[in-house]
Amino acid sequence: MRDSLPLSLLALLSLLSTTVNVLAVPSAVSGQSIPIIRRSRVPQNDKDLAAWAQKHKAYIEAKYGFSKPTEKRANGLNLLTDLQFDSSYFGSIAVGTPPTTFNVILDTGSSDLWLSTSTSESTSRQGQDNIPQYNPSSSSSFEQVNDTFSIQYGSGAAKGVLGKDTVQFSGFQVTGQTFGLVTQTTAQLLSTPLSGLMGLAFEDIASSGATPFWQTLVNTPGTLDSPLMAFQLSRYTNVTDAQPLEPGGTFNIGAVNSSLYTGDIDYQNTPDGSPGYWILELTSMSVQGNSISLPSGEGAWAAIDTGTTGVGMPAEIVQNIFAQVPGSQPAGGQFDGYYTYPCSTNIDAQVGFGNSSNRWTISSADFAFQQLEDGSCLGAFFELPSSSGTTTPPIIIGDTFLKNVYSVFRASNPPSVGFATLSSTAVSLNGADGPVPLPTIVSSLSGVNPTSTGVSVGTGGQNNGASSTTNGVHVAGLAVSLLTAVAPLLLW
Ligand SMILES: *[C@@H]1O[C@H](CO)[C@@H](O)[C@H](O)[C@H]1NC(C)=O
Ligand SMILES: *[C@@H]1O[C@H](CO)[C@@H](O)[C@H](O)[C@H]1NC(C)=O
Ligand SMILES: *[C@@H]1O[C@H](CO)[C@@H](O)[C@H](O)[C@H]1NC(C)=O
Ligand SMILES: *[C@@H]1O[C@H](CO)[C@@H](O)[C@H](O)[C@H]1NC(C)=O
C-alpha cells in the first residue's frame, strides 16, 4: 500500500497543511448577519416602513440575543440526476465569481475535482463541443496555480492545469478550492450535460494533492453537524419508458436524511492501513443461495464507489458468481470480462461487509446490466485485472449495489461506510416520473464580503436538468475500462 497511515491521522495532517482559510462565514439567509450596506435608507411609504421596521427589529433582536437566533445550517442537500438508465449519477456545483453552475459526477472512488475548461490555448477536443465549460477569464475569483493536472481512471483520462476558485456545493462554499482545469480528455469520458467530476474520497489519493471540497468542510470545526455524506440512488434500469435524464436520488452532507432509510445504519470500519478510498472488506457473498468463496484481508478490500456503474472483481470471483447462474457464459469478444445469462432468470444475490451479519440484497434488476440484441442479459459483475502492486483495491462496488441501500460515508470516529435499508419513501422514488432537478445558485452568498475566505453556508444547492441527450457514457473514479469499451454497443 502506498500509504499506511490511518485515515483519521491523514485527515489531521491535511488540516495542518491546508492552504485554504476555513473560517465559517454566516450567510445573510441564516439570519445571523445582515450586511449593513443593505440598509441603505428607511423606506418612505407605510407598508415598506412596516416591513423594514419588522426586519430591523428581528435584526437587532438576533444581534443582541433577544430572540433565539436562526439555527446555523450545518448540513446540505444536492438532488441527483440519473444519466442513461443508472449509468451514472451527477449533482451540480457552482464555480467562480459570478458563480456558474456545472454538472459533475459525484464520485466516492476518487478525490479530485475537475472541470472541462475553455482556454485560449486549448486545442479542439473531439466530441466535446457541447460540453458546458468553465472559463477562468470570466471569474474574478480565479487564481492561477502553476502546476499541471492529470488523472487516470479505469474509464479514461483527463489532463490540464490546476487552478483555484470559489466553489459552492450542497449549500456550502469553499474559497480557493484547487481543482483541475481540464483541456484534454479521452473520448467518452464526458458528454453533455456533464462538465466534470467531483471526487469524494480522501485527500491522500488526490492526483492534484489538493484537499477535496468535502474534506475541507469536515476539517473545519463547526461546519458540519456530522462528518458524513450520504446517497440514495434511484433505479431506472428496468423502466422501459425511462428517459436519458431522470431524477437520480439524493445526496446529503453533514447529516443523513432520515426519511430515506429505516432501522439502523450498519457502519463498518474501513480496514486499518487501507488507502484513501472508501474501502470495506467484502466478507460474504451468495448467489442463488450458494456461498461464493472470497479472499480474506486485503484481497477482499472493496472500494465503495458511486462513480462506477457495475461491480468489478477478480476473475475467479466473477467466474464463481456466474457458475451459480444456469445458462450463463462468458460474453467474449467486445464484451470480454462480462458474462451473459438468460434474462428470464431471477437472480438472488447478497453481500455482506466487515464484521456485520447483515446481508444486503442486490435486486435481480440491478444484477442485469443490460439486455443485448440477442435477448440475453449482460451481467453487471465484470472481471477486473489484478491490481497487485498498486493502491487500487481488487474489488469495486458501484451503483449496481448502491441502488439497493442507503449509503453513508463517514469520515471519522473511525472512518467507515454504513448501509441501511431504504425506506418506502426512497423505494417509491425508483422509476418515478418527474422533472430532473435544476441547478440553484446560492443567491444569499452574494451578500458575503468577497474578501472573507473559507467555508460559508447558504441554502441548498441543487442540480441541473439540461435537456440535451447523451451518448452512452460511464464515467467512473476507479476502474470501468471494460464498461466504457462496451457502452456504445449497448442498446440505449
Ligand atoms: C504563474 O506563472 C505566471 C507566468 O509565468 C506568473 O505570472 C504567475 O505569477 C505565476 N503564479 C503563481 C501563483 O506562481
Ligand atoms: C430528504 O429526502 C427527501 C426525499 O428525496 C427530500 O424531499 C428532502 O428534501 C430531503 N431532505 C433533506 C433535508 O435532505
Ligand atoms: C472485526 O472486528 C474485529 C474486532 O473488533 C476487528 O479487529 C476487525 O478489524 C474487524 N474486521 C473487519 C473486517 O471489520
Ligand atoms: C424494477 O426492479 C425493482 C427491483 O427488483 C422492482 O421492485 C420493480 O418493480 C422493477 N420495476 C419494473 C418497472 O419492472
Side-chain angles (χ1 to χ4, degrees):
M1 289 298 117
R2 190 178 64 190
D3 212 320
S4 57
L5 289 171
L7 292 174
S8 52
L9 179 54
L10 287 166
L12 180 63
L13 291 174
S14 68
L15 174 62
L16 296 175
S17 68
T18 185
T19 56
V20 180
N21 182 341
V22 289
L23 294 171
V25 177
S27 69
V29 77
S30 74
Q32 294 184 324
S33 149
I34 297 172
I36 302 289
I37 50 164
R38 287 256 173 104
R39 296 190 294 127
S40 51
R41 64 189 176 92
V42 177
Q44 295 308 300
N45 70 48
D46 284 0
K47 194 173 155 228
D48 288 355
L49 180 61
W52 177 85
Q54 286 306 319
K55 250 171 122 175
H56 184 67
K57 181 168 171 283
Y59 168 60
I60 296 297
E61 285 172 357
K63 185 176 176 186
Y64 294 100
F66 292 111
S67 65
K68 203 171 78 180
T70 311
E71 204 170 298
K72 183 169 172 283
R73 184 188 179 83
N75 61 77
L77 163 71
N78 206 260
L79 295 178
L80 306 176
T81 301
D82 180 328
L83 177 61
Q84 292 284 5
F85 325 113
D86 312 352
S87 294
S88 49
Y89 294 83
F90 65 81
S92 76
I93 60 174
V95 182
T97 310
T100 307
T101 56
F102 296 99
N103 292 322
V104 289
I105 299 280
L106 298 183
D107 181 19
T108 59
S110 67
S111 303
D112 291 280
L113 171 64
W114 59 266
L115 288 173
S116 180
T117 301
S118 55
T119 64
S120 46
E121 304 90 52
S122 66
T123 52
S124 76
R125 275 143 295 148
Q126 197 189 357
Q128 288 196 41
D129 304 336
N130 297 320
I131 293 195
Q133 291 179 317
Y134 169 72
N135 182 356
S137 62
S138 57
S139 171
S140 63
S141 45
F142 171 72
E143 291 173 62
Q144 219 176 335
V145 174
N146 291 336
D147 215 341
T148 57
F149 171 71
S150 108
I151 186 163
Q152 181 79 48
Y153 301 104
S155 54
K159 265 189 189 170
V161 296
L162 291 177
K164 285 184 187 187
D165 208 336
T166 301
V167 175
Q168 295 176 16
F169 174 55
S170 294
F172 294 91
Q173 175 174 289
V174 172
T175 54
Q177 172 68 51
T178 299
F179 65 102
L181 280 62
V182 163
T183 50
Q184 284 177 55
T185 64
T186 49
Q188 293 176 30
L189 191 63
L190 283 183
S191 67
T192 184
L194 293 174
S195 294
L197 183 145
M198 180 178 249
L200 299 174
F202 293 87
E203 177 176 343
D204 50 317
I205 58 161
S207 299
S208 61
T211 307
F213 182 101
W214 76 272
Q215 220 176 340
T216 298
L217 303 188
V218 165
N219 290 348
T220 308
T223 304
L224 298 177
D225 291 332
S226 305
L228 57 79
M229 300 176 280
F231 283 86
Q232 167 261 320
L233 302 176
S234 298
R235 175 185 304 111
Y236 287 81
T237 187
N238 60 341
V239 178
T240 46
D241 58 352
Q243 301 300 302
L245 295 174
E246 291 281 4
T250 309
F251 168 87
N252 283 95
I253 187 164
V256 294
N257 184 334
S258 55
S259 70
L260 296 171
Y261 69 93
T262 58
D264 292 336
I265 299 168
D266 175 11
Y267 286 105
Q268 296 294 313
N269 302 345
T270 60
D272 282 350
S274 57
Y277 300 97
W278 292 101
I279 286 177
L280 291 182
E281 187 175 336
L282 180 68
T283 44
S284 159
M285 179 162 189
S286 70
V287 176
Q288 310 303 64
N290 300 318
S291 150
I292 305 297
S293 82
L294 297 168
S296 61
E298 286 189 33
W301 283 2
I304 311 302
D305 181 11
T306 57
T308 287
T309 313
V311 175
M313 293 180 155
E316 319 80 79
I317 306 178
V318 179
Q319 281 158 21
N320 194 352
I321 289 169
F322 285 98
Q324 317 308 321
V325 180
S328 68
Q329 53 186 339
Q334 299 288 345
F335 299 101
D336 193 30
Y338 282 81
Y339 282 72
T340 59
Y341 65 99
C343 290
S344 56
T345 314
N346 192 56
I347 308 287
D348 169 24
Q350 298 187 0
V351 289
F353 297 94
N355 287 330
S356 175
S357 57
N358 277 330
R359 297 292 172 262
W360 305 104
T361 296
I362 296 173
S363 77
S364 198
D366 293 317
F367 191 90
F369 181 63
Q370 191 82 33
Q371 187 161 9
L372 300 179
E373 277 166 342
D374 68 5
S376 67
C377 270
L378 190 69
F381 284 70
F382 58 92
E383 297 176 359
L384 278 179
S386 155
S387 64
S388 60
T390 74
T391 56
T392 312
I395 299 173
I396 297 165
I397 308 268
D399 304 329
T400 291
F401 170 69
L402 294 171
K403 282 179 271 178
N404 295 275
V405 291
Y406 189 65
S407 53
V408 187
F409 299 81
R410 190 174 68 182
S412 56
N413 292 323
S416 49
V417 181
F419 301 122
T421 304
L422 292 169
S423 66
S424 55
T425 302
V427 169
S428 73
L429 298 170
N430 289 329
D433 226 3
V436 292
L438 292 164
T440 307
I441 293 177
V442 182
S443 54
S444 60
L445 290 172
S446 61
V448 173
N449 182 341
T451 60
S452 53
T453 52
V455 179
S456 52
V457 180
T459 58
Q462 272 134 36
N463 68 18
N464 191 339
S467 60
S468 24
T469 57
T470 58
N471 305 315
V473 62
H474 299 265
V475 178
L478 280 164
V480 290
S481 49
L482 298 164
L483 213 44
T484 299
V486 301
L489 301 169
L490 300 175
L491 306 172
W492 300 116

